[in-house]
Amino acid sequence: MVIKKIEEKQEVSRKSVKTPQLLRGFRDILPSEQAYWDKVEEVAGRMANDYSFGRIRLPLLEQTSLFERSIGKATDVVEKEMYTFIDPSGTRVTMRPEATASVVRSYVEHGMVNKSQPVKMWYFEQMFRHDRPQAGRYRQFWQFGLEAIGSSDSILDAQVIIMCHRMLKELGISVKFLLNSIGTEASRREYVMELVSYFKQFRKQLSEVDKKRLTKNPLRLLDSKEEGMEELRVNAPQILDWLDEDSKQHFMKVIEYLDEAEVPYELSPHLVRGLDYYTKTVFEVVEAGDEGEKAQNALGGGGRYDTLVELLGGREDTPAIGVALGIERIILAMKNQGVELPKERLIDVFFCQLGDAARRKGLVVFEKFREARVSVAEAFGKGSLKGQLELADKQKAKIALILGQKEVLDGTIIIRDMESGAQEIVNIDKVVAIVKRQLEMMG
Ligand code: AMP
């Protein structure tokens, strides 16, 4: 009776166990997708190193004030999207929503101003934004970023754009850049006054969100996606007409360099980007077929941030430029544009075993191949030779090794050429060397 009750209880509790689900906006990147991730990371890292950018790995948590001060309090990211909490020691901390602020903090904190300028760094890190999830927009996502701090030369603006172009091209994606200049803070002040007086005429037509922007962050009216804004924007004053001479010259040079390097771009007078720290050049990169300003899912974006170092307590007049590319969006674009990568890792050798003694011996042989850096797969969990050979075939192995009871006793192993089906028996102690030689010959 007692036992029955216990069993009943266990039954009930088993039924009530629910598998915890992924959080909304978060995702697993499964082994079948790794080929894309590996490829993007490899190309990005190689590109950055080729252009003398050094890798920086950043902490995931920072003091909240870092982002409030740099990104700006009236921006969507800081107002609505940050994962902020009080840590056990009572500090207000935030899971980074972007990395430029952290890179600059690091530049200042480690006195990199004393190194030869510009200091060039790259990162490949996760970001967190509590945004509304949709296709290509997640709450945890990855960015590859480049930052060059300590030079105002427009050739650096061009260089980071050219690097993104080359990298995306190598990944098989054709893209174009949307470019604008938002000048210096001083030149922008006058322009913003003009912009506010323009939009004030239409105050009644503005949505609540845009009314708030009109007082708090008027530049954002230019890239507002609210209904009716597209028409209102057509006659809005354009920032390019208000640029100071220095910003104008700077921008012209960037364009000249891009022409020289044959990078496809469009001027995009309403592009302002969402973060407060930008100055002069701003840009986004979108898939080549996207409709310029209407493109919602940019692959990346960046610009100059000539005042950020000073704002975070570094030396006055330390200009900088950077870019961040979204890895999930790059992978989506690769798939969109038909770039195919093998789903499974291709291997050279597949190890088949039959019977317990062979499996035991197999562990040792497998390890020898691994040490010799020959890519070898196995299916120790499988019993039948047929099943194992099918797997070898599926994984496109060039050679299968077969170890059965008899071979274990004889100290031999069978080498099978997967293409021709030809088999030979060799001494097990020599198998690694023989297989290596055969693979070299197969090329
Ligand atoms: P931002 O820092 O907002 O300029 O973003 C730079 C790039 O990061 C964007 O162009 C996207 O490719 C990517 N990105 C930004 N937010 C998200 C997100 N929520 N989910 C996925 N990718 C994102």
Side-chain angles (χ1 to χ4, degrees):
M1 191 62 189
V2 176
I3 290 178
K4 196 161 179 237
K5 274 211 166 136
I6 292 174
E7 278 174 354
E8 275 170 10
K9 226 176 164 181
Q10 282 177 344
E11 186 63 21
V12 171
S13 67
R14 222 174 284 140
K15 272 191 192 147
S16 61
V17 172
K18 260 186 152 175
T19 310
Q21 307 273 304
L22 267 173
L23 288 170
R24 212 161 103 77
F26 287 73
R27 56 200 288 265
D28 298 318
I29 299 157
L30 301 174
S32 56
E33 265 215 85
Q34 283 321 310
Y36 286 92
W37 286 80
D38 289 348
K39 177 87 183 165
V40 175
E41 191 163 0
E42 186 269 316
V43 174
R46 178 160 39 80
M47 184 72 60
N49 291 325
D50 283 354
Y51 283 78
S52 307
F53 282 67
R55 183 167 193 168
I56 181 166
R57 292 182 201 254
L58 299 155
L60 210 149
L61 281 184
E62 296 271 9
Q63 288 185 14
T64 305
S65 58
L66 171 66
F67 303 114
E68 288 175 344
R69 268 164 69 183
S70 55
I71 299 173
K73 278 198 167 166
T75 56
D76 284 354
V77 172
V78 171
E79 262 189 349
K80 298 187 276 197
E81 297 170 4
M82 295 207 302
Y83 282 85
T84 296
F85 56 94
I86 309 286
D87 81 355
S89 40
T91 310
R92 240 174 110 236
V93 294
T94 294
M95 291 163 76
R96 58 165 182 246
E98 60 105 48
T100 301
S102 302
V103 174
V104 171
R105 176 201 48 69
S106 180
Y107 173 93
V108 175
E109 203 161 340
H110 295 280
M112 293 187 212
V113 68
N114 299 316
K115 292 183 156 200
S116 137
Q117 307 290 304
V119 174
K120 295 175 169 183
M121 289 182 270
W122 68 279
Y123 59 84
F124 195 101
E125 305 267 11
Q126 286 128 309
M127 309 296 154
F128 297 84
R129 293 185 195 172
H130 196 269
D131 204 350
R132 204 158 46 86
Q134 48 183 275
R137 181 170 303 157
Y138 309 100
R139 289 181 171 168
Q140 176 181 348
F141 58 97
W142 290 76
Q143 282 184 340
F144 163 66
L146 300 164
E147 314 284 356
I149 308 176
S151 167
S152 61
D153 199 323
S154 43
I155 197 147
L156 284 163
D157 307 35
Q159 188 180 49
V160 296
I161 292 174
I162 291 168
M163 287 172 74
C164 293
H165 182 233
R166 301 227 162 113
M167 168 183 160
L168 294 166
K169 196 167 163 196
E170 188 169 338
L171 290 171
I173 315 173
S174 59
V175 296
K176 67 181 172 196
F177 289 81
L178 309 177
L179 299 184
N180 196 16
S181 172
I182 55 172
T184 59
E185 263 174 57
S187 68
R188 206 152 56 224
R189 218 168 292 135
E190 262 181 75
Y191 169 71
V192 167
M193 272 160 51
E194 193 65 24
L195 191 69
V196 169
S197 73
Y198 171 80
F199 275 111
K200 264 190 177 162
Q201 312 167 63
F202 308 104
R203 202 165 200 289
K204 284 203 187 109
Q205 285 160 257
L206 298 184
S207 69
E208 284 311 307
V209 181
D210 281 340
K211 275 188 190 137
K212 222 169 120 196
R213 285 186 177 135
L214 188 61
T215 48
K216 280 190 150 180
N217 196 352
L219 274 186
R220 292 313 309 271
L221 291 167
L222 290 176
D223 65 359
S224 160
K225 305 270 186 296
E226 300 286 307
E227 225 185 295
M229 279 306 271
E230 217 180 309
E231 290 85 56
L232 289 188
R233 253 192 312 255
V234 175
N235 294 319
Q238 296 201 354
I239 198 159
L240 284 177
D241 297 330
W242 295 79
L243 290 186
D244 54 286
E245 202 43 41
D246 176 44
S247 300
K248 220 182 276 174
Q249 288 304 325
H250 183 95
F251 194 47
M252 300 273 280
K253 278 229 164 106
V254 175
I255 288 173
E256 277 168 27
Y257 291 130
L258 295 182
D259 282 334
E260 189 76 23
E262 297 184 13
V263 172
Y265 66 83
E266 277 171 19
L267 296 184
S268 185
H270 295 145
L271 181 72
V272 288
R273 315 258 310 122
L275 319 176
D276 273 3
Y277 53 62
Y278 286 112
T279 51
K280 293 188 176 168
T281 318
V282 287
F283 62 91
E284 283 188 349
V285 48
V286 298
E287 285 187 66
D290 272 350
E291 262 185 82
E293 290 186 2
K294 286 197 203 133
Q296 294 249 351
N297 275 350
L299 301 177
R304 272 209 161 265
Y305 46 94
D306 288 348
T307 52
L308 186 56
V309 173
E310 185 184 347
L311 188 74
L312 293 179
R315 197 179 62 184
E316 240 181 276
D317 259 340
T318 312
I321 172 91
V323 60
L325 300 176
I327 307 305
E328 285 82 356
R329 298 220 186 138
I330 289 178
I331 292 173
L332 278 174
M334 286 168 82
K335 292 180 178 168
N336 240 350
Q337 298 193 17
V339 178
E340 280 192 28
L341 295 176
K343 274 212 167 116
E344 317 238 357
R345 201 169 65 91
L346 295 183
I347 44 126
D348 287 329
V349 179
F350 195 96
F351 183 85
C352 312
Q353 38 63 39
L354 289 161
D356 214 36
R359 194 177 321 190
R360 227 173 304 133
K361 183 84 184 156
L363 280 175
V364 181
V365 179
F366 183 84
E367 202 49 32
K368 288 211 169 110
F369 274 100
R370 210 190 50 74
E371 279 167 13
R373 299 211 145 265
V374 176
S375 61
V376 45
E378 43 69 32
F380 286 135
K382 274 207 179 334
S384 88
L385 180 61
K386 187 164 170 269
Q388 294 180 67
L389 284 174
E390 274 169 13
L391 263 181
D393 199 43
K394 209 170 142 207
Q395 295 190 30
K396 307 216 166 30
K398 296 175 186 151
I399 288 173
L401 300 171
I402 304 167
L403 188 64
Q405 213 85 318
K406 180 173 180 309
E407 288 75 28
V408 174
L409 287 176
D410 294 351
T412 57
I413 190 164
I414 300 169
I415 298 180
R416 179 188 172 98
D417 182 315
M418 287 299 288
E419 203 180 304
S420 66
Q423 299 196 161
E424 65 173 315
I425 301 171
V426 302
N427 182 324
I428 199 159
D429 294 330
K430 300 202 174 124
V431 67
V432 176
I434 297 172
V435 166
K436 266 192 117 168
R437 209 173 320 125
Q438 289 189 355
L439 286 172
E440 272 165 26
M441 283 181 342
M442 287 172 176

